[in-house]
Amino acid sequence: TRVSFEVGMQQLGGRVLTLTTRDMQLSRGETIADTARVLSRYVDGIMIRAYSHGTVEELADAADVPVINGLTDLYHPCQVMADLLTIREHKGGLAGVTVAYVGDGNNVAHSWLLGAAQFGLRLRVACPAGYEPLPEIVARAQSIARQTGAEITVLRDPVEAVMGADVIYTDVWASMGQEAEADQRRRVFAPYQVNARLVAHAAGDYIFMHCLPAH
């Protein structure tokens, strides 16, 4: 993520400062809002990766410059923007392309719901019980889809999701911060493996995608 943003900004003629938690005053009690105000005096934009989506919203509310969400526990928008570009490159367009997302209804799934709705894709999200995307985000995506012609479906059966799909997409079963749940998640998600049996139901020229890193 750091490499892609740094190189992208440099290719566009900009300069980049990379600040880790060790380089900032947050650990000494400076607030997110004060950090946003100070940085806004010096920089033209901020890309932030944070565990909590609330942190990004707080930063954006206090900043006077654009704030880009590089990742939170709720959304991963730049990842899905890059994925949509990849699909367009491989499939020649986006409208009407069928994408099957198989696995955890997490931040990547949330951004896929909104991205697919915006660009007119058919998205089927297959998750085990208790691991579905948040219903309010599904509802928002379906509302957008009514305006764009997209089709948004959340279901349980991974085979039904990948039937005839042009793209099969998945993510890790235990994301950052969920390491303690890894063993339980391995059992729950075992039927949601993207393996030879599952992909046999997809279109003959399907492509497989993963937001990486893959464990």
Side-chain angles (χ1 to χ4, degrees):
T1 300
R2 174 178 167 180
V3 169
S4 63
F5 275 100
E6 287 189 3
V7 171
M9 182 54 67
Q10 290 165 5
Q11 288 177 342
L12 291 169
R15 289 173 293 174
V16 179
L17 299 172
T18 299
L19 302 175
T20 69
T21 52
R22 294 189 301 274
D23 303 314
M24 305 177 75
Q25 302 300 314
L26 292 169
S27 62
R28 297 178 60 185
E30 184 175 287
T31 66
I32 295 292
D34 280 345
T35 298
R37 294 184 189 102
V38 171
L39 289 177
S40 294
R41 303 301 195 273
Y42 295 106
V43 304
D44 300 297
I46 301 170
M47 186 285 282
I48 177 173
R49 282 171 65 92
Y51 281 108
S52 168
H53 190 73
T55 299
V56 176
E57 291 184 331
E58 185 179 355
L59 186 85
D61 285 342
D64 296 322
V65 297
V67 172
I68 298 168
N69 176 1
L71 172 123
T72 69
D73 58 348
L74 193 61
Y75 295 114
H76 202 351
C78 293
Q79 173 67 51
V80 172
M81 289 170 65
D83 293 331
L84 289 167
L85 178 60
T86 298
I87 292 170
R88 190 176 73 174
E89 289 173 344
H90 282 267
K91 297 298 181 181
L94 293 174
V97 171
T98 299
V99 177
Y101 179 100
V102 179
D104 192 12
N106 58 12
N107 54 351
V108 176
H110 290 158
S111 287
W112 254 114
L113 285 161
L114 298 177
Q118 291 277 2
F119 289 97
L121 287 81
R122 299 188 191 97
L123 177 66
R124 306 175 194 144
V125 177
C127 306
Y131 295 87
E132 303 91 344
L134 293 174
E136 57 267 31
I137 296 177
V138 175
R140 182 178 166 200
Q142 290 174 335
S143 175
I144 296 169
R146 286 192 285 271
Q147 310 300 318
T148 63
E151 298 177 20
I152 304 294
T153 308
V154 178
L155 40 81
R156 192 79 64 228
D157 184 0
V159 173
E160 184 181 352
V162 305
M163 196 68 67
D166 303 301
V167 180
I168 298 177
Y169 197 102
T170 193
D171 192 5
V172 294
W173 295 340
S175 298
M176 287 185 297
Q178 298 172 337
E179 289 80 7
E181 306 171 28
D183 289 341
Q184 176 190 348
R185 284 173 167 266
R186 217 172 274 118
R187 292 189 295 272
V188 170
F189 285 99
Y192 290 79
Q193 293 178 56
V194 178
N195 53 28
R197 290 192 305 276
L198 185 65
V199 303
H201 300 282
D205 62 346
Y206 86 96
I207 59 174
F208 171 71
M209 301 181 69
H210 191 299
C211 69
L212 301 179
H215 299 296

